[in-house]
Amino acid sequence: MKKILFALSLAAVMTVPGYAQAQAREVTFSTQLSNYGGDGAYLALYLTDADGKYYETLWVSGEKSKYYKHLRDWARGSGLNQAEYDGLTGASVTSGRTQNVTLELDDALIDAGYQVRVDSAVEDMRDNRSDVVVPLTTEGSGKSVAGRGYVQSFVYNLK
């Protein structure tokens, strides 16, 4: 009986306004590719900590996992463990097109030193590690940055 009362009182405390609960925020990531004249690009959108250490996969574009090894920094960080990207994949993105991905991110990740990174690769063309690296901050929301490879521009918007 004591265990039941404790569980009920804990549940009541957790629903009290002001009690610290994990909050999520909707974020839209837009990746505009340049006109590079090749096949569809594979992209890995992921988070690293301030030191560049892999933290979490956000999205992978390209459905054939045999090509994921070409997204080198992401592949090394994720270990290409399917559990890291299961359910977070979509079609590759073609030259000149824009990929928009909207996700819910924990508020604790924003303004906490995390970086958003994009690795890119195109069949029979060069692979680009860290094509985009941008801090995940409130201030950076809505500000477009240029990529270093196939990504022409990248922007995220916090809602």
Side-chain angles (χ1 to χ4, degrees):
M1 183 68 170
K2 286 183 183 180
K3 288 182 182 180
I4 294 172
L5 289 175
F6 175 75
L8 290 173
S9 64
L10 182 59
V13 168
M14 292 178 70
T15 59
V16 172
Y19 181 79
Q21 294 181 0
Q23 297 291 319
R25 185 179 299 188
E26 192 173 275
V27 183
T28 299
F29 300 92
S30 297
T31 308
Q32 169 72 42
L33 296 185
S34 61
N35 290 310
Y36 53 80
D39 290 334
Y42 274 61
L43 305 173
L45 177 65
Y46 60 104
L47 293 179
T48 63
D49 65 17
D51 296 325
K53 184 178 176 194
Y54 173 84
Y55 178 74
E56 177 180 35
T57 299
L58 300 174
W59 189 259
V60 180
S61 297
E63 295 173 336
K64 294 182 181 176
S65 61
K66 69 181 183 178
Y67 296 119
Y68 290 172
K69 64 186 176 190
H70 296 284
L71 303 167
R72 295 176 193 249
D73 285 351
W74 170 77
R76 183 176 51 245
S78 69
L80 292 176
N81 181 349
Q82 188 173 352
E84 291 290 315
Y85 59 83
D86 193 31
L88 302 173
T89 60
S92 59
V93 185
T94 56
S95 174
R97 298 289 182 126
T98 300
Q99 171 190 271
N100 294 307
V101 176
T102 300
L103 306 168
E104 296 264 328
L105 286 186
D106 187 331
D107 277 344
L109 298 173
I110 301 165
D111 295 321
Y114 290 91
Q115 299 172 331
V116 179
R117 293 185 181 229
V118 179
D119 288 2
S120 63
V122 173
E123 187 176 356
D124 296 327
M125 294 177 73
R126 185 174 163 226
D127 301 342
N128 295 291
R129 297 176 179 182
S130 300
D131 197 334
V132 172
V133 178
V134 61
L136 182 59
T137 62
T138 305
E139 185 179 302
S141 177
K143 295 183 181 175
S144 182
V145 296
R148 302 178 323 137
Y150 303 114
V151 177
Q152 180 176 321
S153 65
F154 176 82
V155 64
Y156 65 88
N157 289 289
L158 303 171
K159 297 187 181 184

